Amino acid sequence: MTDHRAITLSQFVLQQEREHPEASGEFTSVLLDIALAAKMINKAVVRAGLADVIGATGDVNVQGERVQKLDVFAHETIMRVLGSTGQLAVVASEEDEGIVPMPDDAPIGKYVVNFDPLDGSSNIDANVNIGTIFSILPRITRKGQGTIEDCLQAGRRQMCAGYVLYGSSTMLVYTTGDGVHGFTYEPSIGEFLLSHADIRTPKRGHIYSVNEGNYARWSDGMKRYADWLKVEDKATDRPYSMRYVGSLVADFHRNLLYGGIYLYPGDAKNPNGKLRLLYEAAPLAFVAEQAGGAASDGTRRIMDLAPSSLHQRTQLFLGSPDDVADCEAFLQGRHEGLNLERRTL
Ligand code: AHM
Ligand code: MG
């Protein structure tokens, strides 16, 4: 029988805390604070076409890209909510060059949040899906304001990670290391309701998501993999379908549910690709792994990479585990030996 009970995010988090007191902690209230900020950002996103919040500010962010008003609004909203809770020691945002200390008059807490306030910002003006990505870590330093070391921790140290997808319906998806759970926002009551309990990603998909416009600059291994995906072969369900929104959260979310692989490889111009380890790759790697998926930089597990700078970029191959393994084999020149044709789907 279908279970028709509506469970809100806060109820679910409390229930998880009761069931796993050892794993939970005050950091779950940080998650709820992020959800509150997400509701405020969602309100601005859905009204962006109407209100005068859309368009570029004219400033350039630390990545050298055009900053748009909603990015700034999202960053400031998250900072306003998180800065006053007393749970955090320090924060790092894709929109800020350095770490963001806690306000002088706020109590200092035990946790660290790294976040991308509004990912996929080039899609804002076109009313295409955008997202927020977040990562919650324990601080390493003992007291006082947190430092950059607290932010520069490997992904496997994350206690919680997730994303908010602003779209035809807004969703919050997160993991605390005990599966992946998705909540859909119900604006009339202002609550995220459990809609996707314990998400599992297919072992293999038939979707690939990549900016193929960069093909000419890719390595031979990457080119061969993309070529291979397009070859007609019934046994391995090829060709794969290409789906690319250009908003990582949207592309990742679709592939998480349907199966497939998201790729942002390095190229001749940018050997480490475009995406940031702390704000994009590590949190989504945690979610992917918890759903039965995988995340690699081509040779190493994303979760094991130790960051050395806040805005460090990494190649990213993310999604269904068999697809990520195939991709790694091509990138490493090991694909000849693989029995790829006979693999059952
Ligand atoms: P952003 O953080 O400036 O929005 O950039 C990240 C975005 C991802 O959401 C997306 O997957 C990627 O950049 C798209 O890059 P490209 O336009 O090169 O395909
Ligand atoms: Mg981003």
Side-chain angles (χ1 to χ4, degrees):
M1 209 173 95
T2 318
D3 186 347
H4 290 295
R5 279 173 308 171
I7 301 177
T8 67
L9 176 65
S10 342
Q11 286 172 328
F12 187 82
V13 163
L14 287 173
Q15 187 183 315
Q16 297 282 97
E17 277 185 7
R18 276 196 301 272
E19 286 170 16
H20 305 280
E22 69 299 338
S24 63
E26 294 142 28
F27 78 89
T28 52
S29 77
V30 180
L31 172 63
L32 296 178
D33 293 335
I34 291 172
L36 171 64
K39 291 178 198 176
M40 295 157 80
I41 297 168
N42 181 64
K43 190 167 172 209
V45 169
V46 298
R47 297 176 64 203
L50 300 168
D52 185 30
V53 292
I54 203 162
T57 58
D59 294 336
V60 167
N61 74 3
V62 289
Q63 319 288 346
E65 297 150 353
R66 219 166 53 125
V67 174
Q68 304 197 267
K69 273 189 183 172
L70 270 179
D71 303 35
V72 177
F73 175 81
H75 168 84
E76 286 174 357
T77 301
I78 295 173
M79 283 313 305
R80 262 204 318 276
V81 172
L82 293 182
S84 55
T85 62
Q87 301 288 356
L88 300 185
V90 64
V91 158
S93 161
E94 196 195 289
E95 291 297 333
D96 223 303
E97 191 161 7
I99 55 170
V100 189
M102 293 297 102
D104 284 339
D105 53 350
I108 307 289
K110 297 190 281 193
Y111 304 103
V112 177
V113 175
N114 295 330
F115 66 95
D116 182 350
L118 211 56
D119 182 69
S121 45
S122 68
N123 277 327
I124 294 173
D125 286 344
N127 195 14
V128 174
N129 293 152
I130 43 184
T132 295
I133 309 174
F134 59 91
S135 164
I136 306 176
L137 295 143
R139 71 181 298 178
I140 315 175
T141 52
R142 298 233 169 132
K143 52 181 183 330
Q145 289 277 358
T147 70
I148 191 166
E149 275 65 47
D150 293 313
C151 297
L152 297 180
Q153 300 187 57
R156 61 169 181 274
R157 300 262 307 149
Q158 293 171 103
M159 309 174 83
C160 176
Y163 58 86
V164 183
L165 173 63
Y166 308 100
S168 51
S169 62
T170 291
M171 283 196 71
L172 186 150
V173 177
Y174 81 93
T175 183
T176 54
D178 184 26
V180 176
H181 310 290
F183 297 78
T184 301
Y185 186 56
E186 168 50 91
S188 67
I189 54 169
E191 293 283 3
F192 283 102
L193 298 176
L194 181 65
S195 53
H196 297 64
D198 201 14
I199 298 173
R200 303 298 299 167
T201 202
K203 213 161 163 286
R204 177 180 288 279
H206 56 269
I207 292 174
Y208 74 106
S209 309
V210 67
N211 184 344
E212 217 156 3
N214 295 327
Y215 184 93
R217 299 184 190 139
W218 288 346
S219 68
D220 289 346
M222 183 59 210
K223 283 180 182 163
R224 272 198 287 267
Y225 179 59
D227 294 344
W228 179 79
L229 290 170
K230 290 191 275 274
V231 170
E232 182 98 42
D233 178 62
K234 272 217 169 92
T236 49
D237 206 12
R238 284 178 291 148
Y240 274 37
S241 292
M242 211 286 279
R243 296 281 182 273
Y244 193 66
V245 175
S247 285
L248 175 60
V249 171
D251 284 310
F252 173 75
H253 181 70
R254 182 200 50 244
N255 293 359
L256 182 73
L257 298 182
Y258 297 170
I261 183 165
Y262 175 92
L263 312 106
Y264 212 111
D267 59 37
K269 236 173 111 193
N270 302 300
N272 294 320
K274 175 182 182 189
L275 300 176
R276 295 80 173 172
L277 177 56
L278 284 190
Y279 317 112
E280 292 159 335
L284 296 187
F286 190 19
V287 174
E289 287 194 3
Q290 282 297 313
S296 163
D297 76 341
T299 48
R300 295 164 299 180
R301 184 177 167 236
I302 292 286
M303 294 278 275
D304 286 337
L305 300 181
S308 52
S309 65
L310 287 178
H311 297 283
Q312 184 172 330
R313 295 174 196 256
T314 177
Q315 300 198 94
L316 182 61
F317 308 97
L318 181 67
S320 293
D322 286 357
D323 290 310
V324 173
D326 288 351
C327 177
E328 281 183 320
F330 274 91
L331 293 171
Q332 296 166 20
R334 293 186 284 106
H335 59 287
E336 306 288 359
L338 286 186
N339 193 4
L340 293 165
E341 311 302 328
R342 300 235 181 90
R343 202 172 274 179
T344 28
L345 296 174

